[in-house]
C-alpha cells in the first residue's frame, strides 16, 4: 500500500492548522490521490477539528504524533490510545526519533505503545532509523533492524499487516540532508526481508522519512521497496504536500 503521511510536529495555531487542512483537502482530488493512502498528523489539540472537518472526505486519514501505552490513570500530560480512538483518530506515529531523543523513549516503550495502539484499532506508524555514527560505522542495517525487532516483538504476522514502518535516518530529519535513493532502497529491502523471515509478514508498507520534498522525492518513491513517505517540514506547505501525493501516485 502506498502511503504519504504529514507529521505536523509542534506547529500552528488552531486556525492555522484548519487553514492548512483546508488547502490540502482542496488540492487532493480523487485523481491526485489515486491509490495513495494520505495521512495527516496534527498536534493533539488540533485532532478533533481535523477529524470532524474531514467527515465527508474519505481520502485522508488522521494520525496522532504519539500516544501512551497505559489504558488510563495517573499519567499527567499524556493521552491514551483509547482516548485517540474515542476521538476517531485512525493512526498514531510511534517512536519518532524526536520522541526518543528529547523524551527518552526506548525500543521497549515503543513496543508497549504498538501493542496498545493495535488493541484500540489504531494503525501504528512505527519509526526507526540510525544516527550518523552508526551509518559511518557500517552497522546501520543491523542497528535499525534491532530497533524494529524489539518494537514489534510478540506480534503475529496478521497484526503486523496493520502496521506501517517509517525508516527515518536521523541524520536526514530536518537537516536538508536526504538519503540517496540507493540508501533508502537498501534499508527498505533489508527490513522487508527481515520482517518476512522473522514474522512471516510480507505485505507491510515501509515509508521513507527525512528531508523528503517535491524536488527529491521522485527518485526515492521510484525505488521498489519504498512505499511512500513520512514528511515533516514539507507537510506544512500545502502545495508541497499535494505535490508529494501526486508524485507518489505516479510512482
Ligand atoms: P523532515 O521530518 O521531513 O522535516 O525531515 C521528517 C520527520 O521527522 O518525520
Amino acid at each position: 500500500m502506498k502511503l504519504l503521511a504529514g507529521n505536523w510536529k509542534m506547529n500552528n495555531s488552531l486556525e492555522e492548522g484548519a487553514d492548512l487542512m483546508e488547502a490540502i483537502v482542496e488540492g487532493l482530488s480523487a485523481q491526485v490521490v489515486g491509490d495513495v493512502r494520505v495521512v495527516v498528523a496534527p498536534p493533539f489539540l488540533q485532532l478533533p477539528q481535523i477529524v470532524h472537518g474531514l467527515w465527508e472526505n474519505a481520502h485522508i486519514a488522521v494520525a496522532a504524533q504519539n500516544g501512551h501505552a497505559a489504558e488510563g490513570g495517573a499519567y499527567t500530560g499524556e493521552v491514551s490510545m483509547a482516548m485517540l480512538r474515542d476521538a476517531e483518530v485512525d493512526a498514531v506515529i510511534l517512536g519518532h526519533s524526536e520522541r526518543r531523543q528529547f523524551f527518552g523513549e526506548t525500543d521497549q516503550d515503543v513496543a508497549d505503545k504498538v501493542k496498545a495502539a493495535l488493541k484500540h484499532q489504531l494503525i501504528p506508524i512505527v519509526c526507526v532509523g540510525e544516527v550518523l555514527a552508526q551509518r559511518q560505522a557500517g552497522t546501520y542495517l543491523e542497528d535499525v533492524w534491532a530497533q524494529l525487532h524489539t518494537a514489534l516483538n510478540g506480534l503475529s504476522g496478521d497484526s503486523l499487516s496493520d502496521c506501517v514502518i517509517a525508516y527515518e535516518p536521523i541524520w536526514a530529519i530536518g537537516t536538508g540532508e536526504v538519503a540517496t535513493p540507493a540508501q533508502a532502497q537498501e534499508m527498505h529491502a533489508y527490513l522487508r526481508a527481515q520482517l518476512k523471515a522473522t514474522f512471516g509478514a510480507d505485505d507491510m508498507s515501509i515509508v521513507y522519512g527525512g528531508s523528503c520534498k517535491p524536488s527529491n522525492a521522485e527518485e526515492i518513491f521510484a525505488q521498489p521497496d519504498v512505499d511512500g513517505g513520512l514528511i515533516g517540514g514539507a507537510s506544512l506547505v500545502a502545495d508541497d504536500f499535494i505535490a508529494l501525493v501526486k508524485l507518489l501516485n505516479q510512482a
Side-chain angles (χ1 to χ4, degrees):
M1 178 184 64
K2 290 181 183 177
L3 182 138
L4 193 83
N7 176 7
W8 294 1
K9 306 194 181 183
M10 195 172 73
N11 290 293
N12 287 336
S13 64
L14 288 173
E15 193 180 337
E16 288 163 344
D19 288 348
L20 173 58
M21 195 60 206
E22 206 178 299
I24 290 172
V25 171
E26 237 177 69
L28 289 183
S29 63
Q31 198 185 5
V32 171
V33 173
D35 60 353
V36 176
R37 179 145 205 201
V38 181
V39 183
V40 293
F44 284 132
L45 284 174
Q46 295 180 32
L47 286 170
Q49 73 173 13
I50 299 296
V51 167
H52 293 286
L54 281 178
W55 206 244
E56 304 292 331
N57 191 325
H59 300 313
I60 303 179
V62 180
Q65 298 171 17
N66 183 28
H68 197 279
E71 283 299 304
Y75 297 97
T76 301
E78 293 293 323
V79 174
S80 73
M81 304 298 173
M83 290 170 178
L84 293 176
R85 196 60 208 153
D86 181 51
E88 298 174 50
V89 168
D90 307 291
V92 59
I93 297 174
L94 296 176
H96 189 278
S97 68
E98 286 149 17
R99 300 290 322 162
R100 297 174 188 262
Q101 184 183 351
F102 303 130
F103 304 99
E105 274 188 24
T106 64
D107 293 338
Q108 188 54 51
D109 293 333
V110 180
D112 294 342
K113 289 175 180 219
V114 170
K115 286 201 183 71
L118 287 170
K119 181 176 171 203
H120 290 284
Q121 287 86 48
L122 293 161
I123 298 167
I125 302 174
V126 183
C127 303
V128 290
E130 81 282 4
V131 297
L132 189 56
Q134 289 169 308
R135 178 150 288 269
Q136 287 167 340
T139 57
Y140 53 94
L141 292 174
E142 298 80 17
D143 293 341
V144 172
W145 170 242
Q147 273 184 327
L148 189 55
H149 192 203
T150 305
L152 303 180
N153 209 9
L155 298 180
S156 67
D158 259 7
S159 44
L160 280 180
S161 55
D162 295 330
C163 298
V164 172
I165 309 303
Y167 167 55
E168 300 203 300
I170 293 163
W171 47 271
I173 295 180
T175 57
E177 186 110 0
V178 65
T180 64
Q183 286 172 327
Q185 170 57 23
E186 180 191 31
M187 180 63 80
H188 284 228
Y190 178 76
L191 295 179
R192 198 180 299 287
Q194 292 294 95
L195 287 165
K196 183 157 194 218
T198 311
F199 296 102
D202 57 2
D203 58 348
M204 298 183 69
S205 293
I206 308 179
V207 302
Y208 169 81
S211 300
C212 200
K213 44 184 186 284
S215 58
N216 61 28
E218 194 171 351
E219 262 196 282
I220 294 176
F221 291 165
Q223 301 306 305
D225 285 295
V226 176
D227 299 311
L230 177 54
I231 315 299
S235 75
L236 295 169
V237 180
D239 286 349
D240 285 354
F241 191 66
I242 291 159
L244 286 164
V245 175
K246 239 182 239 177
L247 285 172
L248 183 56
N249 184 37
Q250 287 158 6

